[in-house]
Structures are given as structure tokens and as C-alpha cells.
Amino acid sequence: MDVYQQVKNVKIMDHFWIKYKKIVEEEVIPYQWKALNDELPDAEPSHAIENFRIAAGESTGEYYGTVFQDSDVAKWLETVSYCLRNNPNPELEQKADELIALLARAQADDGYLNTYYMLKEPQNRWTNLRDNHELYCAGHFIEAAVAYFEATGKTLFLNIVEKLVNLIDQTFGREPEKLKGYPGHEEIELALIKLFDVTQNQRYLKLAQYFIEQRGVEPIYFEEERIRRKHIDTAMTWNSDENMNFGLGYEYQQAHKPVREQTEAVGHAVRAMYLYIAMADLAAKTKDHTLKETCERLWEDVTTKKMYITGGIGSAANGEAFTSAYDLPNDSMYCETCASVGLAFWANRMLRLEANRSYADVLERTIYNGTISGMDLTGKRFFYVNPLEINRHQSDRKDQEHIKDERQKWFFCACCPPNLARMIASIEDHIYTYSGESIFTHLYIASEMKTKLKDKPIQIKQQHQYPWQGTIDMIIDVPNPTSFKLGLRIPGWCKNWKLFINQKPYESERLVNGYIIVDRTWQAGDRILLELAMPVEKVRSNPLVAKNQSQIALQRGPIVYCIEEVDNGPNLAALRIPKDSIIETTWEKDVLNGVVTLRTNGYKLQPTKDLYTTTESQKTPQPIKAIPYYAWCNRIKGEMRVWIYEG
Amino acid sequence: MDVYQQVKNVKIMDHFWIKYKKIVEEEVIPYQWKALNDELPDAEPSHAIENFRIAAGESTGEYYGTVFQDSDVAKWLETVSYCLRNNPNPELEQKADELIALLARAQADDGYLNTYYMLKEPQNRWTNLRDNHELYCAGHFIEAAVAYFEATGKTLFLNIVEKLVNLIDQTFGREPEKLKGYPGHEEIELALIKLFDVTQNQRYLKLAQYFIEQRGVEPIYFEEERIRRKHIDTAMTWNSDENMNFGLGYEYQQAHKPVREQTEAVGHAVRAMYLYIAMADLAAKTKDHTLKETCERLWEDVTTKKMYITGGIGSAANGEAFTSAYDLPNDSMYCETCASVGLAFWANRMLRLEANRSYADVLERTIYNGTISGMDLTGKRFFYVNPLEINRHQSDRKDQEHIKDERQKWFFCACCPPNLARMIASIEDHIYTYSGESIFTHLYIASEMKTKLKDKPIQIKQQHQYPWQGTIDMIIDVPNPTSFKLGLRIPGWCKNWKLFINQKPYESERLVNGYIIVDRTWQAGDRILLELAMPVEKVRSNPLVAKNQSQIALQRGPIVYCIEEVDNGPNLAALRIPKDSIIETTWEKDVLNGVVTLRTNGYKLQPTKDLYTTTESQKTPQPIKAIPYYAWCNRIKGEMRVWIYEG
């Protein structure tokens, strides 16, 4: 079993992602900092940093926030770490250092660190793993600490989390004196494997393995814990006993059966993603085939039965959860930003198990569509829920109140904005993997990478106007002629491509799992030109998807399009794109920060006098204009549709 | 302003409705009787009659049931009354008499009668009109008492309700010493007008008028009452203060503004129907043009913007309520059986204000489709909610738990089965109206009617195989040649018709509001033959309905069809009916108690390997069979669709 490494030294030069990274650095991080410090006049207070001050004995007052408020601090530190990798910023680093020092002062002597329990129920540590996110928050601290160490070389944060992990390791495990628990919201598992990566401490890997493998083992720990909880004085949680886990059973936490027996993605979509990431990571570390196969099976289930064309997942608001195969309603789903971010991260992990474009295609689908749709183009407003349809009734339907037709400022439950921010800040980590004598290019993002294959230094520079243009220019830099295989992904959406090496057509051999493998001795200055034909495609759903019948989505390259009321008038459902229509593309540099828009000559069905009639509606010609889905709701609020009726 | 009277002496001979009437008499009434007496071993206890025994001091124990449990007893008595009109049944009448005697013994000395308050909160009468249904239950008692009086001539029940109404009249009104309240669930208004009809006591009409006109007047009574309730000890209700009226405001009870200012149907659909019925009745009695116009405006709103093709209403489960115009989702609506029954009754009342087929068309649509779908063909199982689509995901979606894919036995909240039963038991009341020298035939239901126009006796006999055949045979019987106008409705669904009188073609003049008016001197034995062409029609929705795009519904005569999985296999959404398809009809006497089924040669889109693809799905020929919607879910449970994709 081959395992691939992530190329870590990559600097983004990409016009598309640079804009987003700049927004994260200049808008989101400062805005979040203010939020964490309760300095935003017109947003809900966060209290996240104040909670740590109180825990450290440096302030007074009560705990405030969700039970996972600490994780907002962790995600901010993680995002800051990624920004510091390529852009030194002493002022920001100092803020981070001071915050980390506060965490150190707040940490209990035995290593415990969770402000909710420290301030509200100090006697009740580890009594409600099902609902109360202690291990989840610990996981985010670990991820942040690893990122901060990698970015700065500083070890204080790493020390804090290692002390915390030691306590967790003493508390949980199969030994008789330990609790046989595991988190109600997965996260620490993947974080522990990251911690193992930087420390090579096998205990962290073993602890991750324990958490993953104990999950779903009968008797279900959450059930035992629930009964024990009857004898202690503890606060009510969000999870009501009358409708535990939103009626979804332990599927909600993916704890209904041992992980290797799981064949379908179930329950809370973000939880599921974080578990599957950790399973893929563990499979890579342990070379465990059965775990790898489980990941492949779950991947197949999610991406061929339960994923929106935008990379959104979670078809139901109840439990923010997966439902059944092909149940993909466009106006009542959840499609949480965090869940798509999780799917991108999972795809990245699957690429470390196998260089296969089925993973990279989904990675690309999520990062260009259903993740960044969660943020407006200024980085100031956010969606939790990313619908594929806003119709004129949306705001009248109480059963769809979770679907907003305008992005909001800061959330009380502020999981999505920082999650998206850390994805953008680390987008470079998704481009390349390598193994032995091979380097694979999974994403076309203009950048400069440096790595070594068997101690031989290799640099690759990508230059292009992706995702708007399909001409990819790559330059290899090696000090001496160097033999290695370069895998170039031919995206699943691309039907015609041409490859030139030093201006000579490269004999296109068969694709290996969707990649052209160029095996040669590379010289400094070797130039690769990959031309990916990028026409507008009319995409159809599997007819098993009841809600997308007779409808098409427009896609060009990796970008999924939508139509908005501001361009097309109201009642978008009554628009028709003829089967033989030609879709024209226009680069509009002043629209939505610069996008390729689509235009076609369509029709609109005219309203009839009667509600039901045997005569066909009159069709009047109407131009139809589509914009990238990720950029919807950046102008005037109104209707929106991804799936458009054909005919 | 002309007003029409209902022809009361009509005896049903109709093969279609006789079956339903027989089910009501032989199954539903005895079954309900057992339910009311808690004699059903496998259904939830009703306790409804036991509550009265306890109130009468003849039994001990606690009140049990919903706050409107009394109304189940009333609806049973009302249905029994209609059955007794044409089919004497001494045993049944004795049961009714005994039950009425129990009501008399349970009634308080001052006339009060409501077992919930008598047994649970005797000190709190009339303190929660918003939620607790005292006036609603009183209304159902009044309706039952009027029906029982008309069927049997017995006055005890009438005396009971008049005593109750006197108390209500002393309690509510604009006078300073009275409460300025009105019911949270309308019903008593229409009942009081029925009571006025049989007693000619103007006080009842005035009281109805007060309740109707006080509704929605500022300050909103429910708001004042809510504040007063803070000072008394009273039980929690179904209506939580955190989410009062399911977040719908006083629109929920149609109490958001005075009725004459209401332009759109809002709130709980059954409540709305009962109010609109009473408004139409009051307009007829008072010849109040503004109220009539209000009714017409609301009718237009409901039937051209908010009504399903089945006659279902109430697009949202939240509040069982109307939403906005053209919001007609097929798999997440409410479409309560009671609401469609109410719509039928309202149509009947509008026909008394004007003979206009737009009312009769809706009346016919509801009685043949969205009402009787609420009961299985044996009268033993019932739907509250009547969806137009059951897809393969229905049972997995917690947000659609209100939609069942199997009818249930008895309900804890048992409003729908008895409501449907009383509609069926009195279906003859909907056929004819008359005024001055005109008689109008609104429905084609085989029957014998007897009436008088200006003291001249007239009998009309209808014979036919409607709704399966469109040839209507009518015979006039008059003792002497008699001049009168006979209005024959040409249904809105019918595009071609021929009329013969005594075998001679009748020169078809222009229709008057959808009726042929035959003005002649009729002789005994005059024979009318009306041939209504009844081809299968492909019906389309107004394109403003987002959810029915590219789909057709099949309708033949008044019958709306659906397709079921048992006939067509799974994934009904992937079926296609070609634009030029010919639909064939078959009379199948052994299928579903005898129905005309439809067949056509269609296609099915085959599943694809990928979830999203740029190639068109393969179409394979597949015969498609449709059955009447009302008869769905009488074989094997599975998918169902009314709207079928075309193409």
C-alpha cells in the first residue's frame, strides 16, 4: 500500500485564491479577532477570549457561549498560523503569542483545558462526551498548535496541547481504569494524527486509533454515560432526551456500529467528515487495508449518492445530516459550509491514500463552489447553509427558516466562518502530493512549490488564469537533470486536452486513475503546457434524483453556475433553456470581482389566468444570464437556482 | 342581491356515492361509536363519551383527550342525523337519543357544556378562547342538533344547544358587561346561522354576526386575554408562548384584521374555511355586499393561487396553514382532509350567493379527490394529510414526518374521519340550489330530488354513470306543466357538450356563469340528455407554481389521477409521458371497487453510474398506468405522484 505525502512548501501566486487569501488576512482574521474580543458593536458577543481570562483568574464573570466556544479561539490561531507561513506579520504573531500565553495560564495543573467545564461544571469533566465537545475543542487546539509550530517553530502551544493530550490519554482507553469513551463530535482523532506527524510520538497515534476503533462498539458508550448522568447535577444541553440526537439514533454521531462495519454515510455531516478524515489518516499511518476500503466505500456513498453538484452535503436540516441516497432537495437541505470544508479536507486525505482524480475532482468541486459560497466577496458576511434554490416562497416557509437569502454577520454558533478561513489560508496544501519518485498535481492553482524527491530538490511553478482559462503553464526547476514522474490530473469535467512539453506535443498515453504520468529526466526550465478544453457543459443528474428531473446545471471547468433574480427577473423556475441552445461566455472583470458569466437565449413561460389549465403556457424569448454559484447573493437579494429547466 | 336556497329533499341513487354512504353507515359510524366508547382494542382511547358521563356525575375518573374531544361526539351525532334522513334506523336513532340524553344530564344548570372545562378547570371558563375550543365545540353541537332536529323532528338536542347559546349570548358581545371575545377556532359562527335557519331566532344571527365582525378588531382580544391569563392558574396548552400560533401571528386564527379587510387566505386552513363559510352565510342572510365581495376575493385567492389540483389546501405543516401564492410543494404540504371538506362546504355556500360554476367546479374537485382520499376504500383507515407525492425518501425525512405513506386507524386528534363522514352522509345537499323560478344543478350525482318553486312541486331524477361516464340523463316530474328555468352546469373541465331535450338537440345558447339555462314549460316525463365529452386531459399548472414545472397531471372528468409504484415500479419521478402520447381508458370493475384506469406508452430514464453527467440518460419504453388519486394507497404502500414529467 503506497502512501503519499503532502507537499508543504507551496506559495500561492494565483489571481483567484490570492484574492481570497487577502480577504482572510485583511478582513476575516481582524474581524474574527474583534469578535473573539467582543469588540463588534453590531454582532452577537462571543466572549471566547474572556472565558479564558476568567479561567486564568485574570477576570471575573460568568462563562458565556456555546459549549464549544473555545474552538473559535483555536480556529483563529490555526488560520493565523497558515497566514504566517508565507507572509510574516510580527504584529499578528504577537497577538497570537499573547493569546497562547493566556491559554497556558488558563490551563489547569493537570493539563485540562476547556473553559465551559472549568467555569460552569468543574466537577463534571468528561461526563457528557455525547454533547459537550470537550474532546472536539481539544482537537481544534491540537490542530492549531501543530499549525503554529510548523509556521513559527515556537513550542509553547505544542507544550500546552501535549499536556492536555497526556491527560486525555490517561483518562480514555481500553484499560480497566479508564473511561471507554470517545467524542460525540469527532475532531480530536485527526488532530492527534497531525500531532503524531510533528512529534512522532506513537502514543498520540495509538490514542487516535483507540478513539476511532472504540466508536460504535457495543455497549454504546453514550448510552452508559447517559444513565450515569442521571446521578449527577449537570446542565441541560442542546440534545433533548425526548428527541435525542434529533431522532436519528447514534447514527447522528456515526456511533451506531464500529467504523469498519459502516457502509453508508449517516448522521451529522460535519461529524461524519471529521471521522472519515481521521480514518483515512489512520489507514495511511497503519497501512490498514480494511480501513482504507471502508473509507473508499463511504467515499463512494457520499460522492455518488449524497453530494450536491456544488460539493454541498447534508440533505436535511434536522440534525444537519445525511438522509438517504439520491435525496437531494435544493431548497430545504442543509449543505453547511463546514461540511463542504470537511469534504475538501477528506478528499485531500484520500489523495494521500491514492492518486485518483475521483478524489481531486470532488476536492476541486468543493473548493470552487459550495465552500466559498459561504462567504461574501468582501469577507464580511457568511452563510452556514448553502442552498441551491431560493424561490419566492422561501421566506414564508417556517419549515425552511434555516435557509437564509442573505448572508449574516457573526453567528452565536460561529463554526463556519473560521472553518472556511482556515481552508482558504491553507489552500496550497491541497495542490501536490508525492511518493517515491512521483509528484502529482491535483489542482491547478498558480503557485511555486519546492520539494525534494529522494533528497533531490525540485521546484515547480504553475502560471495560468484558472479557473477561467484552461491553459496551464508549468515550469520545472531542478539544479541538475532529475528523473521523476509527474502526474498531471485531467479533471473529470474535461473531455479534450493537449499536453506539450517544451512546445512539443506529448504522446498522450492512457490516463492512470485520471492522471497523465510524464516519466522523464527533467531539466531546469522544462516547460509544460497543458491545454484543458473548458466549454460550458450542461450537466444532468442521475435520474434517481427526484428533485432534479428535466433540469440542467451549467458548469464550465470546475465552476458551477447559478441564475439570480437580479439578472433574470423573478420566477426563475419558469425559465427554459432549449436543448440545442448555445451558451456564450464573457469575461467580466468588473462583475463580482471578475468572473466569466454565461449567456444564452432561453424562454420564459408566461403566467396563466387559471391555476390549472389544459393549454400550454405561452413561451416568450428571454435571455438568460448565469453567474458562478460561489458568487451568488453578492448584489440584490432575490431568487436563485442552480438547476434550470430544459425544454 | 339574489340568494339561493339549498334543495333539501334529495335521495342519492348514485353508484359512486352510494358505496361511500354505505361505508359511512356500515363501517365508519359503528367504528366511531366504538371509538367514542373506548371499545376499540387496537386504537388510542377516545374517552369522549366517558367525559360526559363523568360530567353528568354518572361515572368517576379524570377527563382525557384533546380540549376539543367533545366535538367528536357532536360530529358523530351530526353524521348519524344525515344517515337517518333517508334511511330510518331505529337502533341507531336510539343510541343517538341516549347519547343526547346524556348530554342533557351533563349540561350545567346555566347551560354551559364543555367537559374539558367542567372536569379540569371549572373556574376558568372562557379564559382561553385562543386555544381551548369551547366555542368550537359548541358550534359542532349546534350543527349536530340542527341536523338531528331536521332528520327526526325531535327537539331535546335543540333545547340543549339553545340553552348553551343563550349562555354564550349573555357572555359575549359588544355591551360593556360582556367579553369582547370570539373563537380561536371558528365554527360556532356558521352553526349559529344554521340554528337561525331552523328557529328564525334573530338573536342567533346577531350573535354570529358579532363573532364574525368582532374578529380582528383592535385591540386583538386574544392579546388582552393572554395578559389576563397570567393571573390565573390554568394548564399549559398546545400553543406555546415562545412560538405562539406557530410563529404565524394572529393570521393563524384569521384574527389579524377585521374580516372585511382580509384580502388573502392566511393561517390555519380549516379555521379559515369555517370562517369563510360563516361569512358567506352571513352575507346571504344580511345581503351585505361588502361581505360578499370579501368572500369572492378570498375565494379567488384560495382557488387560483393556493389550492392543489386535488382540492387540497394548506401548503405547510407548520400551523397546518396557508403560505404564499403559488407555493404548492407536493411532498411537504399539509392538505388536511378537514380543510378540503371545509373547502367543499364553502363552495356550497358560495353557490348560495351566486350560481357560478367556478364554485361548483371546486366543489366537484374537492369531493372527488382531496377529501375522499382521506379514507381507504373500506372506511377503516384514514389520512389526515393528503400528499400529492410520496417519493422514496419520504420515510427518511424527519421534516416530512407528518406525511404518512399508509392510512392510520383512529387518531388521538380525531377531527378528519368524522368530518369526512358527515360530508359523505350529506353529499346530496350539494347538488341543487333554487331561487325564484330557477333551479340549478351543480353536481351530477344520480338522485331523486323533490322541491317546490312558488308552491309548485317539482321532481328531478338524475340517472348516469358519473363520474366515469359523461352522459347525464335527467327526467322531470311535475304534476302540471310548469314553467321554470333549469340551470345545468357545464363543468369547467368539459370542452364539448351536447344537450338534448326529449331527444331533440337544444340550441346551445351562451353559458351564463358556466350554466346552460333552459327556460321552458316543463311537462311530466320531459327528458334531458346532457352529453359531456370526457376525454383524458393533460393538465398543467400556472408556471408561477415552481414545483410543477415540466409536469402534467392526468384528469378525466372531475377525477384527478395519480401513478403508484405498485403499477409502475419505483422512482416515479424518472417516468416521462411524451407530449404526443395518447392516453387510453379502461373501466376496471374489479380494481379499487371499480374505477376507470388510464394507460399510456411512456418512458423511464435509466439510472446513470455517475451522480452528475453531461450525457443524457437512456430512455427505455415503459407503459404507465394511472389510477384515481382518491384511491391511492389501497394496495401496497410505495411511491405515488400526481404530477408526472412530460417529455
Side-chain angles (χ1 to χ4, degrees), chain A residues 159-173:
Chain A
N159 295 343
I160 294 169
V161 301
E162 291 200 65
K163 199 170 156 191
L164 173 57
V165 170
N166 285 338
L167 175 69
I168 293 169
D169 192 36
Q170 286 158 27
T171 308
F172 296 98

Side-chain angles (χ1 to χ4, degrees), chain A residues 601-619:
Chain A
N601 293 318
Y603 294 93
K604 187 163 191 177
L605 301 192
Q606 293 305 302
T608 51
K609 187 180 144 286
D610 294 324
L611 186 52
Y612 303 108
T613 171
T614 56
T615 53
E616 286 195 56
S617 291
Q618 213 190 322
K619 274 183 179 179

Side-chain angles (χ1 to χ4, degrees), chain A residues 33-41 44-50 64:
Chain A
W33 179 250
K34 283 185 190 158
L36 295 172
N37 284 285
D38 308 311
E39 291 167 5
L40 292 176
E44 297 200 58
S46 158
H47 214 257
I49 289 177
E50 183 66 8
Y64 175 84

